[in-house]
Amino acid sequence: MYNLVKGMLSRGVPIDGVGLQLHITTDPSYVSPAGLDLNLQRLIALGLQVHFSEMDVRLPWTPTATPP
């Protein structure tokens, strides 16, 4: 995504911002906070607004009862 947007900006394509989908879990190897921050800072450094257009958080859950 970063390389695509950076290339488009270098060719004069008018882009004001990007929307990112964020899917996170309790597994720290899936999306690290440091990696997410690095990617956000790179996009912001291009002069872009960054928005999360979708976000879900997957939590480990084991049902304790059968639904009615």
Side-chain angles (χ1 to χ4, degrees), residues 2 20 31-46 50 52:
Y2 172 80
L20 302 176
V31 174
S32 74
L36 177 60
D37 185 56
L38 176 64
N39 198 35
L40 292 172
Q41 294 306 318
R42 292 188 321 160
L43 291 165
I44 292 167
L46 293 176
V50 180
F52 292 110

Side-chain angles (χ1 to χ4, degrees), residues 2-39:
Y2 172 80
N3 289 332
L4 172 68
V5 173
K6 184 178 178 182
M8 293 172 78
L9 287 169
S10 72
R11 291 188 301 277
V13 177
I15 300 174
D16 296 318
V18 294
L20 302 176
Q21 295 182 359
L22 181 60
H23 307 283
I24 58 175
T25 72
T26 56
D27 178 359
S29 67
Y30 190 71
V31 174
S32 74
L36 177 60
D37 185 56
L38 176 64
N39 198 35

